[in-house]
Amino acid sequence: MNKIYFDNAATTQIDPSVIELMNGVMSNHYGNPNSTHSFGRSSRTLIEKARKSISKEFNVLPAEIFFTSCGTESDNLVLISAVRDLGVKRIITSKIEHKAVLNVVKFLELNDRINVEYVKVKANGLIDYDDLDQVLNTNKQKTLVSLMHVNNEIGSLLDLTTVGDICKKHDAFFHSDTVQSIGKYKFDLSKLNIDFIVGSAHKFHGPKGIGFVYINKKLKLNPLLIGGNQERGLRAGTESVHNICGMELAFIDSYNSIEKNKNYILDLKNYFIEKITSSIPLLKFNGICEDNNYSTYSILNVCLPVSKDKSVLLEFNLDLKGIACSRGSACQSGSNTGSHVLNSILTKSDLEKPSLRFSFSKYNNKSEIDKVIKVLSDFINSN
Ligand code: PLP
């Protein structure tokens, strides 16, 4: 059975060239990058080259990029350290952020008595910028705004320029969880009013267990992990050289082929929309994911006209046919509370129907889409 992988927002297939490169680094560059001998120096050279590649793409200084273990760690570092080191007393975020932000914000509210406010999210999954402006206006406490660029469940996009300008007007720090958009969107950080962005290699065909954070050079944060002086004192622990090199190659490759990949994946998404709309006319799209002006090109979230009783069999049926997609987001599977994102935007009756997230990559094709839609419509039409 040929398996079909439409769960690229959960994680992506690692590029074969990345695996090859990482194997070479593990075999030939095993020196500790903090050692001063030649083995150590050759590892150090690779790390600093990777830092340079990433900073160059974003038009920032290499010293503004720090390597971490994942997107979650990067988000934690920014939020916790901003409260501890930058005098942040209030965080404004939204109810549709990833748990890597939402649960840290809740932790800070409970433990550090930070004032937390949630900006309005429209029924289409877009952030209400007027509300953000108003909430920022309500008090003059030192504030950090944390809003994600691409929503990992429904694909809705944030306008980073608009939000950055609003934050600047109110003298607030701006952190954007860009985990879903690194490698898919270009960022000229020298032109945006943004203080922190984060990335995770496994979302752009790199290895798991490696990420990075961009921290504006004007801001000084202290580490969460305390120990050695790695990452210029911001993150202790011997650097994962092979992972950093793998992330660099996946990063460079994504940006070198960004237009080609974007056009290819967008064409898949549009094809999926056209096919599924004609095969399952009663289906609904969640949020604004079918409007490519306001949502990313790789994510579609659909609400299916399936009764509650039958919906328990849906995922089982797809899995049996070798099809991987996601109900809500992968990070929540096993939880019975449902998706916090869909809970924020759907009506009660739509929440009772099953919703599926399909997320595409350069490794997918149209014949896979045909197969998935046939399986879905056969399931819906069966008794
Ligand atoms: N933020 C967003 C928007 C994500 O989609 C994810 C992963 O699903 C994360 C953060 C966490 O990233 P990581 O898996 O690298 O910890």
Side-chain angles (χ1 to χ4, degrees):
M1 177 173 62
N2 278 340
K3 290 193 172 187
I4 297 177
Y5 188 74
F6 280 164
D7 204 12
N8 291 282
T11 195
T12 53
Q13 181 186 333
I14 186 163
D15 282 334
S17 57
V18 170
I19 298 175
E20 198 185 318
L21 176 98
M22 288 171 68
N23 279 333
V25 172
M26 281 190 284
S27 303
N28 304 317
H29 299 275
Y30 51 86
N32 186 321
N34 305 292
S35 301
T36 50
H37 47 63
S38 64
F39 292 82
R41 288 199 310 273
S42 85
S43 296
R44 170 61 52 204
T45 303
L46 293 179
I47 292 179
E48 296 316 318
K49 182 171 96 53
R51 201 185 310 280
K52 232 177 174 168
S53 301
I54 295 175
S55 64
K56 188 167 168 233
E57 174 58 45
F58 296 149
N59 203 9
V60 295
L61 297 173
E64 294 175 292
I65 302 294
F66 299 86
F67 296 122
T68 64
S69 66
C70 59
T72 302
E73 185 191 328
S74 299
D75 284 333
N76 270 256
L77 175 63
V78 168
L79 294 164
I80 295 173
S81 298
V83 167
R84 219 175 35 191
D85 305 324
L86 304 178
V88 166
K89 297 279 179 257
R90 174 172 73 151
I91 296 178
I92 302 175
T93 187
S94 83
K95 292 250 164 87
I96 62 167
E97 300 302 302
H98 191 274
K99 298 278 172 162
V101 167
L102 273 182
N103 284 343
V104 186
V105 169
K106 281 187 195 148
F107 170 88
L108 291 167
E109 185 175 30
L110 207 72
N111 291 278
D112 293 68
R113 302 192 179 281
I114 289 304
N115 179 8
V116 177
E117 301 194 57
Y118 295 93
V119 69
K120 277 188 198 144
V121 178
K122 299 180 194 169
N124 60 12
L126 292 177
I127 297 296
D128 184 332
Y129 303 136
D130 292 335
D131 188 55
L132 175 64
D133 194 33
Q134 271 174 30
V135 177
L136 274 162
N137 221 3
T138 52
N139 80 47
K140 297 289 160 215
Q141 281 183 314
K142 193 71 205 159
T143 300
L144 172 84
V145 172
S146 179
L147 292 171
M148 69 206 307
H149 185 209
V150 168
N151 185 280
N152 54 302
E153 292 197 38
I154 51 174
S156 48
L157 273 169
L158 186 83
D159 184 335
L160 292 176
T161 306
T162 301
V163 173
D165 291 350
I166 295 172
C167 290
K168 187 171 183 206
K169 179 174 135 194
H170 295 279
D171 198 22
F173 297 117
F174 179 28
H175 160 244
S176 186
D177 177 341
T178 48
V179 163
Q180 290 291 341
S181 48
I182 300 294
K184 298 196 185 78
Y185 291 89
K186 284 191 156 279
F187 299 87
D188 185 341
L189 293 174
S190 70
K191 297 211 172 102
L192 287 167
N193 291 315
I194 190 160
D195 299 297
F196 313 98
I197 69 165
V198 303
S200 178
H202 74 99
K203 306 288 187 184
F204 52 89
H205 305 288
K208 293 172 182 60
I210 187 73
F212 66 84
V213 53
Y214 154 78
I215 301 175
N216 186 304
K217 61 181 175 300
K218 290 185 214 133
L219 305 172
K220 272 265 149 295
L221 298 185
N222 288 311
L224 292 185
L225 286 187
I226 297 167
N229 198 38
Q230 289 91 352
E231 294 302 292
R232 297 181 313 290
L234 190 64
R235 186 189 189 269
T238 303
E239 298 89 338
S240 183
V241 187
H242 60 292
N243 270 329
I244 291 173
C245 293
M247 174 161 73
E248 180 198 13
L249 181 59
F251 181 93
I252 292 174
D253 283 352
S254 320
Y255 279 105
N256 281 346
S257 326
I258 195 163
E259 280 309 311
K260 183 173 135 236
N261 289 342
K262 180 181 171 190
N263 292 337
Y264 180 77
I265 298 168
L266 182 60
D267 189 45
L268 291 181
K269 179 182 169 186
N270 287 335
Y271 183 75
F272 196 103
I273 292 173
E274 189 193 310
K275 286 272 160 177
I276 202 164
T277 316
S278 61
S279 309
I280 311 172
L282 291 176
L283 146 147
K284 285 186 190 165
F285 294 100
N286 292 325
I288 199 163
C289 64
E290 85 279 25
D291 184 337
N292 294 316
N293 292 317
Y294 296 98
S295 74
T296 191
Y297 51 93
S298 55
I299 296 177
L300 257 184
N301 197 315
V302 296
C303 178
L304 295 166
V306 172
S307 70
K308 220 175 173 179
D309 313 339
K310 218 172 139 184
S311 73
V312 283
L313 293 174
L314 177 62
E315 271 172 283
F316 176 70
N317 195 269
L318 289 168
D319 195 31
L320 205 67
K321 304 253 161 60
I323 297 165
C325 62
S326 184
R327 187 154 183 186
S329 84
C331 314
Q332 299 183 184
S333 52
S335 127
N336 58 7
T337 53
S339 150
H340 66 284
V341 175
L342 298 183
N343 278 331
S344 299
I345 61 163
L346 293 194
T347 60
K348 216 167 163 224
S349 72
D350 282 345
L351 280 172
E352 289 184 352
K353 296 176 198 141
S355 283
L356 295 175
R357 176 188 70 182
F358 296 94
S359 45
F360 312 106
S361 84
K362 61 183 177 181
Y363 290 118
N364 294 126
N365 60 53
K366 288 185 180 169
S367 85
E368 292 176 325
I369 293 177
D370 291 338
K371 279 185 211 151
V372 170
I373 290 175
K374 171 137 189 8
V375 169
L376 280 177
S377 54
D378 286 352
F379 177 84
I380 287 169
N381 296 328
S382 66
N383 293 317

